[in-house]
Amino acid sequence: ADTYFRNRAKERLDMLTMPHWALGRLMDLAMDLAGMTGSMNPKFDNRVIVTMAGDHGVTAEGVSKYPAEVTVQMVHNFLRGGAGINALARTVKADVVVVDMGVAGEIEGVEGHLNFVSRRIRPGTDNMGVGPAMTREEAILAVRAGIEIAHELSFSYSLFGTGDMGIGNTTPSSAIVAAFTGQPPEKVTGRGTGIEDDQFLHKVEVIKKILKVNNPDPRDPWDVLSKIGGFEIGGIAGLILGAASRRKPVLIDGFISTAGALIAASICPASRDYMIAAHRSVEQGHIIALDHLGAKPLLNLDMRLGEGTGAALAMTLVDAAVRILTEVATFEEASVSQANV
Amino acid sequence: ADTYFRNRAKERLDMLTMPHWALGRLMDLAMDLAGMTGSMNPKFDNRVIVTMAGDHGVTAEGVSKYPAEVTVQMVHNFLRGGAGINALARTVKADVVVVDMGVAGEIEGVEGHLNFVSRRIRPGTDNMGVGPAMTREEAILAVRAGIEIAHELSFSYSLFGTGDMGIGNTTPSSAIVAAFTGQPPEKVTGRGTGIEDDQFLHKVEVIKKILKVNNPDPRDPWDVLSKIGGFEIGGIAGLILGAASRRKPVLIDGFISTAGALIAASICPASRDYMIAAHRSVEQGHIIALDHLGAKPLLNLDMRLGEGTGAALAMTLVDAAVRILTEVATFEEASVSQANV
């Protein structure tokens, strides 16, 4: 990010008509946004949530309480505008683009839908409980798809948010967080869509097995993604890398998106400068993953939906930060007396 | 609040196409809003932040690092649109109404300004370090002014936010929180606009003196407000009562607004049903006051400005909650498979 504009923003924010830095994290965010965009007046009128969908062979291990067919059903729900992400994206005037990165069924009747992109690798990953989820080539294809989508959307949009849909995808996400942070599976595994105690213990065992069978190398993001990732997780990693390469801020949604962000940060550490952690999910591994990235979430509303819902909601905080930077008067401009020192 | 509509909202939210209650506190809020308004489709297009301004004789005790003249200067800044609250209100499309409840100087050149209301009690309270801040009659006048303003604005607005401006007003607020909660002054006193360690210790001593000199009766809100309150704090209490009496949700801003909310809740406990705690301020006494009210803040962004900035920001969460209630499809509507039980 651009140190010159970051510093210029700080100088202005220091002088605004309020006790010093009294709008706290919104002012931190304003400074970051100036640095990311190289501008004292960044414009984020056109914003998009990219919701990446994929299916997971690991559902064969009984890690989710929803059937895998829900992934395809929810893609249709997104495209009809009836899902949580649609409601929250409308709240903040963001578009939603849905990407099929590799769902198990066919997505029918969506030809020509402006908000649908097909970058199918194949109909769902293999069961990582018995071997790698995908090949190294497929991992590269998934990340490349995300990068290309970000580059294409960069012509129309100046602010990105990540999102995910994929029954079973908290399992690879927990495995990825365990692999990169070295934390034991029981600390980075959560309840996903709402499993009970015995299912939780089973899920932890499955993640232990996944790590043992695959032995991913945390120094090699492609090894991690191919062995214990997902097509939509690779797509999210690519989206972040593509947005960062175009100097566009990207709001990282919840747990699955943060697993994607860990992959992105491992491929290119500089991409972290463009990541904004939107919220803290209920999933217990999320804060561990965010800490590892050095990111502090903006919101904490007991959400655990994914889809991009947290990223959408946080777009308002981006708007607020920009207005603070550009619309609040300084002490001098407003002829307000300063503090006694 | 209306139990029938609250329950109807819960029934619908239980069936939305997402894991159960996966949007967490936004869904709690949606249920509350249905109950407050008695509607499954509440409309909050017209919203207003009412920023109450007043001055404080207690500044003679050296509790703030800003001179009292800043209160009047900031009122002008609000009316010109250059303050933090103006930027955040524009972010959420809220109007800002500024009320002179009793600032020390004259507010000149604002005749006919549509967003300015004068309900001056007198030019600042007396120094509560040596005796009561105001008379009991003045306390009643201040609360009545707030109620009347809320009733008048209720013709135009369906969602309220509170705000405050008054150099020195964290001191009466800490004293009020100490009086109602029984917590010692050192636990409910903060850094206000940013005082240093020695000034902080001095402020705690001043608050101890205030409580000793005045001995307010926590069972009598009029005693508390008149002895250790402020004109703008009374105005905020009245605004909350007036909004609640018209079944309008009111977002409680930060520490000073929450002191006003404690007064309102003490006058009329049922008013709590219409309060929404917008955010958690940096002021350490704030969470103690919110706990006493039984309110859980929505945002936590290290803010400590007041003016209504937290209330404004949280209006987006109200919008999001309404959209979740009204725009997200149920499993049946969207033909999505439900969880295995």
Side-chain angles (χ1 to χ4, degrees):
Chain A
D2 190 316
T3 311
Y4 173 75
F5 280 96
R6 203 167 190 284
N7 290 342
R8 270 190 67 192
K10 181 175 184 305
E11 278 167 29
R12 180 168 180 91
L13 294 164
D14 279 339
M15 295 307 300
L16 297 185
T17 43
M18 59 181 68
H20 187 253
W21 224 258
L23 287 173
R25 300 205 52 213
L26 293 179
M27 299 177 92
D28 301 340
L29 180 57
M31 198 168 63
D32 291 344
L33 293 166
M36 290 179 201
T37 57
S39 168
M40 284 291 283
N41 188 11
K43 304 280 188 196
F44 298 116
D45 295 336
N46 298 310
R47 65 274 298 275
V48 63
I49 303 289
V50 182
T51 304
M52 301 276 189
D55 270 305
H56 298 268
V58 76
T59 51
E61 303 283 340
V63 288
S64 179
K65 65 193 252 192
Y66 286 85
E69 71 206 39
V70 167
T71 305
V72 169
Q73 291 169 345
M74 286 300 294
V75 166
H76 285 288
N77 198 14
F78 297 150
L79 293 172
R80 278 192 306 263
I85 184 54
N86 304 105
L88 294 195
R90 282 189 290 261
T91 304
V92 298
K93 301 197 191 318
D95 291 334
V96 178
V97 168
V98 182
V99 183
D100 176 5
M101 290 296 303
V103 301
E106 291 293 321
I107 312 276
E108 286 166 354
V110 294
E111 297 78 18
H113 197 299
L114 289 173
N115 294 75
F116 179 73
V117 176
S118 177
R119 293 295 300 251
R120 277 171 93 74
I121 309 292
R122 64 181 155 90
T125 55
D126 296 327
N127 180 0
M128 64 182 76
V130 297
M134 65 186 90
T135 65
R136 203 170 169 99
E137 288 66 33
E138 286 172 329
I140 293 170
L141 279 177
V143 172
R144 179 181 288 170
I147 293 172
E148 289 173 357
I149 288 166
H151 284 178
E152 192 166 331
L153 293 174
S154 284
F155 292 106
S156 310
Y157 297 101
S158 49
L159 180 64
F160 285 83
T162 65
D164 74 284
M165 178 69 221
I167 294 302
N169 67 7
T170 56
T171 294
S173 300
S174 289
I176 289 168
V177 173
F180 279 121
T181 66
Q183 292 288 324
E186 49 270 35
K187 285 218 166 173
V188 296
T189 302
R191 301 290 170 132
T193 50
I195 55 175
E196 306 301 326
D197 283 358
D198 53 339
Q199 293 171 295
F200 172 75
L201 294 174
H202 171 65
K203 187 173 168 185
V204 169
E205 290 309 311
V206 170
I207 292 168
K208 284 182 182 170
K209 183 169 75 165
I210 289 168
L211 292 169
K212 193 171 172 194
V213 165
N214 289 288
N215 191 28
D217 177 359
R219 292 160 305 179
D220 179 356
W222 305 104
D223 195 58
V224 174
L225 177 58
S226 58
K227 286 175 171 172
I228 61 171
F231 298 135
E232 82 279 38
I233 295 172
I236 289 167
L239 187 87
I240 294 167
L241 294 172
S245 76
R246 293 290 192 263
R247 303 179 65 102
K248 311 277 187 182
V250 53
L251 287 150
I252 310 299
D253 187 40
F255 188 53
I256 287 86
S257 285
T258 305
L262 287 171
I263 302 277
S266 180
I267 295 172
C268 173
S271 68
R272 283 194 286 192
D273 286 355
Y274 295 85
M275 299 180 192
I276 302 167
H279 82 121
R280 175 177 175 165
S281 152
V282 172
E283 281 284 313
Q284 65 163 339
H286 193 203
I287 195 70
I288 292 170
L290 290 171
D291 284 346
H292 190 78
L293 274 173
K296 203 177 158 198
L298 289 164
L299 299 165
N300 186 358
L301 293 164
D302 296 345
M303 288 162 54
R304 54 184 174 87
L305 178 54
E307 300 181 0
T309 47
L313 209 53
M315 286 183 173
T316 296
L317 305 184
V318 170
D319 294 337
V322 170
R323 284 190 189 262
I324 291 163
L325 181 62
T326 58
E327 298 182 5
V328 178
T330 63
F331 282 101
E332 200 176 308
E333 287 164 1
S335 306
V336 171
S337 305
Q338 296 194 46
N340 305 311
V341 183
Chain B
D2 190 316
T3 311
Y4 173 75
F5 280 95
R6 201 167 191 285
N7 290 344
R8 270 192 65 194
K10 181 175 182 306
E11 277 167 29
R12 179 167 180 90
L13 293 164
D14 278 339
M15 295 308 298
L16 297 185
T17 41
M18 58 182 70
H20 187 251
W21 223 259
L23 287 172
R25 300 207 53 214
L26 293 178
M27 299 177 93
D28 300 340
L29 181 57
M31 197 168 63
D32 291 344
L33 293 165
M36 291 180 200
T37 57
S39 168
M40 284 292 281
N41 187 11
K43 303 278 188 196
F44 299 117
D45 295 336
N46 297 310
R47 65 274 300 275
V48 63
I49 303 290
V50 182
T51 305
M52 301 274 189
D55 271 306
H56 298 268
V58 75
T59 52
E61 303 283 341
V63 287
S64 179
K65 64 193 254 194
Y66 285 84
E69 70 205 41
V70 167
T71 306
V72 169
Q73 291 169 345
M74 284 302 293
V75 167
H76 285 288
N77 198 16
F78 296 150
L79 294 172
R80 280 192 304 263
I85 184 53
N86 304 105
L88 293 196
R90 283 189 290 260
T91 304
V92 299
K93 302 200 191 317
D95 291 335
V96 178
V97 168
V98 183
V99 184
D100 176 6
M101 289 296 304
V103 301
E106 293 293 323
I107 311 275
E108 286 168 352
V110 294
E111 297 79 17
H113 196 298
L114 289 174
N115 294 73
F116 179 74
V117 176
S118 177
R119 293 295 301 250
R120 276 172 93 73
I121 310 292
R122 62 181 156 90
T125 55
D126 296 328
N127 180 359
M128 65 181 74
V130 296
M134 66 185 88
T135 66
R136 203 168 168 99
E137 288 68 31
E138 287 172 328
I140 293 169
L141 280 177
V143 172
R144 177 180 292 169
I147 293 173
E148 289 173 359
I149 289 166
H151 284 178
E152 192 166 329
L153 293 174
S154 284
F155 293 106
S156 311
Y157 297 101
S158 49
L159 180 64
F160 285 83
T162 66
D164 73 285
M165 178 69 221
I167 295 300
N169 68 7
T170 55
T171 294
S173 299
S174 289
I176 289 168
V177 174
F180 279 119
T181 66
Q183 292 290 323
E186 49 270 33
K187 284 218 167 171
V188 296
T189 302
R191 303 293 168 129
T193 50
I195 54 177
E196 305 301 326
D197 282 358
D198 54 339
Q199 292 170 296
F200 171 74
L201 294 173
H202 171 66
K203 187 173 168 186
V204 169
E205 289 309 313
V206 170
I207 291 167
K208 285 182 180 168
K209 184 169 76 166
I210 289 168
L211 293 169
K212 193 169 173 197
V213 165
N214 290 287
N215 193 28
D217 177 359
R219 291 159 307 179
D220 178 356
W222 305 105
D223 196 58
V224 174
L225 177 57
S226 58
K227 286 175 171 171
I228 61 170
F231 298 134
E232 83 279 37
I233 294 171
I236 288 167
L239 187 86
I240 294 166
L241 293 171
S245 76
R246 292 290 191 265
R247 303 180 66 102
K248 311 276 188 183
V250 52
L251 287 150
I252 312 298
D253 187 40
F255 189 53
I256 288 85
S257 286
T258 305
L262 287 171
I263 302 277
S266 180
I267 295 171
C268 173
S271 67
R272 281 192 286 192
D273 286 355
Y274 295 86
M275 299 180 191
I276 302 167
H279 82 122
R280 175 176 177 166
S281 152
V282 173
E283 281 283 313
Q284 65 163 338
H286 193 205
I287 195 70
I288 292 170
L290 290 171
D291 283 346
H292 190 78
L293 275 173
K296 200 176 159 200
L298 290 164
L299 299 165
N300 186 359
L301 293 165
D302 296 346
M303 287 162 55
R304 52 184 175 84
L305 177 55
E307 300 180 0
T309 47
L313 209 53
M315 285 182 173
T316 295
L317 304 184
V318 170
D319 294 337
V322 170
R323 285 189 188 263
I324 290 163
L325 181 62
T326 58
E327 299 183 4
V328 178
T330 62
F331 282 100
E332 200 176 308
E333 289 164 0
S335 307
V336 171
S337 306
Q338 296 193 47
N340 305 313
V341 182

mmCIF file with all atom_site columns, all heavy atoms in Angstrom, chain A residues 21-33:
data_model
loop_
_atom_site.group_PDB
_atom_site.id
_atom_site.type_symbol
_atom_site.label_atom_id
_atom_site.label_alt_id
_atom_site.label_comp_id
_atom_site.label_asym_id
_atom_site.label_entity_id
_atom_site.label_seq_id
_atom_site.pdbx_PDB_ins_code
_atom_site.Cartn_x
_atom_site.Cartn_y
_atom_site.Cartn_z
_atom_site.occupancy
_atom_site.B_iso_or_equiv
_atom_site.pdbx_formal_charge
_atom_site.auth_seq_id
_atom_site.auth_comp_id
_atom_site.auth_asym_id
_atom_site.auth_atom_id
_atom_site.pdbx_PDB_model_num
ATOM 1   N N   . TRP A 1 21 ? -8.629  11.050 17.330 1.00 0.00 ? 21 TRP A N   1
ATOM 2   C CA  . TRP A 1 21 ? -8.927  9.678  16.878 1.00 0.00 ? 21 TRP A CA  1
ATOM 3   C C   . TRP A 1 21 ? -10.176 9.108  17.576 1.00 0.00 ? 21 TRP A C   1
ATOM 4   O O   . TRP A 1 21 ? -10.275 7.912  17.864 1.00 0.00 ? 21 TRP A O   1
ATOM 5   C CB  . TRP A 1 21 ? -7.726  8.751  17.127 1.00 0.00 ? 21 TRP A CB  1
ATOM 6   C CG  . TRP A 1 21 ? -7.449  7.845  15.961 1.00 0.00 ? 21 TRP A CG  1
ATOM 7   C CD1 . TRP A 1 21 ? -7.778  6.520  15.866 1.00 0.00 ? 21 TRP A CD1 1
ATOM 8   C CD2 . TRP A 1 21 ? -6.802  8.183  14.729 1.00 0.00 ? 21 TRP A CD2 1
ATOM 9   N NE1 . TRP A 1 21 ? -7.387  6.030  14.648 1.00 0.00 ? 21 TRP A NE1 1
ATOM 10  C CE2 . TRP A 1 21 ? -6.780  7.018  13.932 1.00 0.00 ? 21 TRP A CE2 1
ATOM 11  C CE3 . TRP A 1 21 ? -6.251  9.361  14.195 1.00 0.00 ? 21 TRP A CE3 1
ATOM 12  C CZ2 . TRP A 1 21 ? -6.215  6.991  12.651 1.00 0.00 ? 21 TRP A CZ2 1
ATOM 13  C CZ3 . TRP A 1 21 ? -5.696  9.333  12.927 1.00 0.00 ? 21 TRP A CZ3 1
ATOM 14  C CH2 . TRP A 1 21 ? -5.680  8.166  12.173 1.00 0.00 ? 21 TRP A CH2 1
ATOM 15  N N   . ALA A 1 22 ? -11.172 9.988  17.819 1.00 0.00 ? 22 ALA A N   1
ATOM 16  C CA  . ALA A 1 22 ? -12.346 9.594  18.603 1.00 0.00 ? 22 ALA A CA  1
ATOM 17  C C   . ALA A 1 22 ? -13.283 8.667  17.834 1.00 0.00 ? 22 ALA A C   1
ATOM 18  O O   . ALA A 1 22 ? -14.209 8.106  18.418 1.00 0.00 ? 22 ALA A O   1
ATOM 19  C CB  . ALA A 1 22 ? -13.113 10.827 19.084 1.00 0.00 ? 22 ALA A CB  1
ATOM 20  N N   . LEU A 1 23 ? -13.062 8.508  16.524 1.00 0.00 ? 23 LEU A N   1
ATOM 21  C CA  . LEU A 1 23 ? -13.879 7.529  15.804 1.00 0.00 ? 23 LEU A CA  1
ATOM 22  C C   . LEU A 1 23 ? -13.107 6.232  15.577 1.00 0.00 ? 23 LEU A C   1
ATOM 23  O O   . LEU A 1 23 ? -13.479 5.397  14.731 1.00 0.00 ? 23 LEU A O   1
ATOM 24  C CB  . LEU A 1 23 ? -14.444 8.119  14.513 1.00 0.00 ? 23 LEU A CB  1
ATOM 25  C CG  . LEU A 1 23 ? -15.568 9.138  14.785 1.00 0.00 ? 23 LEU A CG  1
ATOM 26  C CD1 . LEU A 1 23 ? -15.997 9.851  13.499 1.00 0.00 ? 23 LEU A CD1 1
ATOM 27  C CD2 . LEU A 1 23 ? -16.788 8.468  15.428 1.00 0.00 ? 23 LEU A CD2 1
ATOM 28  N N   . GLY A 1 24 ? -12.054 6.066  16.359 1.00 0.00 ? 24 GLY A N   1
ATOM 29  C CA  . GLY A 1 24 ? -11.364 4.785  16.521 1.00 0.00 ? 24 GLY A CA  1
ATOM 30  C C   . GLY A 1 24 ? -11.102 4.002  15.253 1.00 0.00 ? 24 GLY A C   1
ATOM 31  O O   . GLY A 1 24 ? -10.383 4.454  14.351 1.00 0.00 ? 24 GLY A O   1
ATOM 32  N N   . ARG A 1 25 ? -11.690 2.838  15.164 1.00 0.00 ? 25 ARG A N   1
ATOM 33  C CA  . ARG A 1 25 ? -11.354 1.927  14.078 1.00 0.00 ? 25 ARG A CA  1
ATOM 34  C C   . ARG A 1 25 ? -11.835 2.423  12.724 1.00 0.00 ? 25 ARG A C   1
ATOM 35  O O   . ARG A 1 25 ? -11.305 2.015  11.690 1.00 0.00 ? 25 ARG A O   1
ATOM 36  C CB  . ARG A 1 25 ? -11.905 0.523  14.385 1.00 0.00 ? 25 ARG A CB  1
ATOM 37  C CG  . ARG A 1 25 ? -11.259 0.012  15.703 1.00 0.00 ? 25 ARG A CG  1
ATOM 38  C CD  . ARG A 1 25 ? -11.230 -1.458 15.785 1.00 0.00 ? 25 ARG A CD  1
ATOM 39  N NE  . ARG A 1 25 ? -10.625 -2.022 14.602 1.00 0.00 ? 25 ARG A NE  1
ATOM 40  C CZ  . ARG A 1 25 ? -10.977 -3.186 14.081 1.00 0.00 ? 25 ARG A CZ  1
ATOM 41  N NH1 . ARG A 1 25 ? -11.923 -3.886 14.658 1.00 0.00 ? 25 ARG A NH1 1
ATOM 42  N NH2 . ARG A 1 25 ? -10.382 -3.635 13.000 1.00 0.00 ? 25 ARG A NH2 1
ATOM 43  N N   . LEU A 1 26 ? -12.841 3.301  12.701 1.00 0.00 ? 26 LEU A N   1
ATOM 44  C CA  . LEU A 1 26 ? -13.242 3.878  11.415 1.00 0.00 ? 26 LEU A CA  1
ATOM 45  C C   . LEU A 1 26 ? -12.118 4.752  10.868 1.00 0.00 ? 26 LEU A C   1
ATOM 46  O O   . LEU A 1 26 ? -11.920 4.845  9.644  1.00 0.00 ? 26 LEU A O   1
ATOM 47  C CB  . LEU A 1 26 ? -14.516 4.715  11.572 1.00 0.00 ? 26 LEU A CB  1
ATOM 48  C CG  . LEU A 1 26 ? -15.798 3.965  11.921 1.00 0.00 ? 26 LEU A CG  1
ATOM 49  C CD1 . LEU A 1 26 ? -16.953 4.956  12.060 1.00 0.00 ? 26 LEU A CD1 1
ATOM 50  C CD2 . LEU A 1 26 ? -16.128 2.921  10.851 1.00 0.00 ? 26 LEU A CD2 1
ATOM 51  N N   . MET A 1 27 ? -11.359 5.390  11.763 1.00 0.00 ? 27 MET A N   1
ATOM 52  C CA  . MET A 1 27 ? -10.255 6.238  11.326 1.00 0.00 ? 27 MET A CA  1
ATOM 53  C C   . MET A 1 27 ? -9.055  5.388  10.897 1.00 0.00 ? 27 MET A C   1
ATOM 54  O O   . MET A 1 27 ? -8.377  5.712  9.923  1.00 0.00 ? 27 MET A O   1
ATOM 55  C CB  . MET A 1 27 ? -9.914  7.230  12.430 1.00 0.00 ? 27 MET A CB  1
ATOM 56  C CG  . MET A 1 27 ? -11.123 8.118  12.737 1.00 0.00 ? 27 MET A CG  1
ATOM 57  S SD  . MET A 1 27 ? -10.884 9.301  14.088 1.00 0.00 ? 27 MET A SD  1
ATOM 58  C CE  . MET A 1 27 ? -10.299 10.727 13.175 1.00 0.00 ? 27 MET A CE  1
ATOM 59  N N   . ASP A 1 28 ? -8.815  4.278  11.615 1.00 0.00 ? 28 ASP A N   1
ATOM 60  C CA  . ASP A 1 28 ? -7.792  3.324  11.158 1.00 0.00 ? 28 ASP A CA  1
ATOM 61  C C   . ASP A 1 28 ? -8.120  2.866  9.731  1.00 0.00 ? 28 ASP A C   1
ATOM 62  O O   . ASP A 1 28 ? -7.246  2.799  8.864  1.00 0.00 ? 28 ASP A O   1
ATOM 63  C CB  . ASP A 1 28 ? -7.763  2.067  12.052 1.00 0.00 ? 28 ASP A CB  1
ATOM 64  C CG  . ASP A 1 28 ? -7.473  2.367  13.515 1.00 0.00 ? 28 ASP A CG  1
ATOM 65  O OD1 . ASP A 1 28 ? -6.932  3.442  13.820 1.00 0.00 ? 28 ASP A OD1 1
ATOM 66  O OD2 . ASP A 1 28 ? -7.796  1.500  14.363 1.00 0.00 ? 28 ASP A OD2 1
ATOM 67  N N   . LEU A 1 29 ? -9.406  2.544  9.530  1.00 0.00 ? 29 LEU A N   1
ATOM 68  C CA  . LEU A 1 29 ? -9.845  2.047  8.231  1.00 0.00 ? 29 LEU A CA  1
ATOM 69  C C   . LEU A 1 29 ? -9.691  3.120  7.151  1.00 0.00 ? 29 LEU A C   1
ATOM 70  O O   . LEU A 1 29 ? -9.243  2.833  6.029  1.00 0.00 ? 29 LEU A O   1
ATOM 71  C CB  . LEU A 1 29 ? -11.305 1.586  8.338  1.00 0.00 ? 29 LEU A CB  1
ATOM 72  C CG  . LEU A 1 29 ? -11.983 1.017  7.102  1.00 0.00 ? 29 LEU A CG  1
ATOM 73  C CD1 . LEU A 1 29 ? -11.217 -0.180 6.529  1.00 0.00 ? 29 LEU A CD1 1
ATOM 74  C CD2 . LEU A 1 29 ? -13.432 0.582  7.438  1.00 0.00 ? 29 LEU A CD2 1
ATOM 75  N N   . ALA A 1 30 ? -10.019 4.366  7.496  1.00 0.00 ? 30 ALA A N   1
ATOM 76  C CA  . ALA A 1 30 ? -9.883  5.473  6.534  1.00 0.00 ? 30 ALA A CA  1
ATOM 77  C C   . ALA A 1 30 ? -8.427  5.610  6.087  1.00 0.00 ? 30 ALA A C   1
ATOM 78  O O   . ALA A 1 30 ? -8.139  5.794  4.894  1.00 0.00 ? 30 ALA A O   1
ATOM 79  C CB  . ALA A 1 30 ? -10.377 6.777  7.163  1.00 0.00 ? 30 ALA A CB  1
ATOM 80  N N   . MET A 1 31 ? -7.519  5.492  7.041  1.00 0.00 ? 31 MET A N   1
ATOM 81  C CA  . MET A 1 31 ? -6.094  5.587  6.754  1.00 0.00 ? 31 MET A CA  1
ATOM 82  C C   . MET A 1 31 ? -5.668  4.441  5.841  1.00 0.00 ? 31 MET A C   1
ATOM 83  O O   . MET A 1 31 ? -4.966  4.643  4.847  1.00 0.00 ? 31 MET A O   1
ATOM 84  C CB  . MET A 1 31 ? -5.366  5.522  8.095  1.00 0.00 ? 31 MET A CB  1
ATOM 85  C CG  . MET A 1 31 ? -3.963  6.007  8.088  1.00 0.00 ? 31 MET A CG  1
ATOM 86  S SD  . MET A 1 31 ? -3.369  6.183  9.813  1.00 0.00 ? 31 MET A SD  1
ATOM 87  C CE  . MET A 1 31 ? -3.455  4.493  10.405 1.00 0.00 ? 31 MET A CE  1
ATOM 88  N N   . ASP A 1 32 ? -6.127  3.237  6.177  1.00 0.00 ? 32 ASP A N   1
ATOM 89  C CA  . ASP A 1 32 ? -5.793  2.070  5.353  1.00 0.00 ? 32 ASP A CA  1
ATOM 90  C C   . ASP A 1 32 ? -6.318  2.220  3.924  1.00 0.00 ? 32 ASP A C   1
ATOM 91  O O   . ASP A 1 32 ? -5.623  1.888  2.955  1.00 0.00 ? 32 ASP A O   1
ATOM 92  C CB  . ASP A 1 32 ? -6.403  0.790  5.961  1.00 0.00 ? 32 ASP A CB  1
ATOM 93  C CG  . ASP A 1 32 ? -5.732  0.384  7.267  1.00 0.00 ? 32 ASP A CG  1
ATOM 94  O OD1 . ASP A 1 32 ? -4.624  0.880  7.562  1.00 0.00 ? 32 ASP A OD1 1
ATOM 95  O OD2 . ASP A 1 32 ? -6.325  -0.429 8.008  1.00 0.00 ? 32 ASP A OD2 1
ATOM 96  N N   . LEU A 1 33 ? -7.549  2.708  3.799  1.00 0.00 ? 33 LEU A N   1
ATOM 97  C CA  . LEU A 1 33 ? -8.162  2.839  2.471  1.00 0.00 ? 33 LEU A CA  1
ATOM 98  C C   . LEU A 1 33 ? -7.406  3.852  1.614  1.00 0.00 ? 33 LEU A C   1
ATOM 99  O O   . LEU A 1 33 ? -7.231  3.656  0.405  1.00 0.00 ? 33 LEU A O   1
ATOM 100 C CB  . LEU A 1 33 ? -9.639  3.237  2.603  1.00 0.00 ? 33 LEU A CB  1
ATOM 101 C CG  . LEU A 1 33 ? -10.559 2.182  3.232  1.00 0.00 ? 33 LEU A CG  1
ATOM 102 C CD1 . LEU A 1 33 ? -11.896 2.804  3.632  1.00 0.00 ? 33 LEU A CD1 1
ATOM 103 C CD2 . LEU A 1 33 ? -10.777 1.005  2.276  1.00 0.00 ? 33 LEU A CD2 1
#
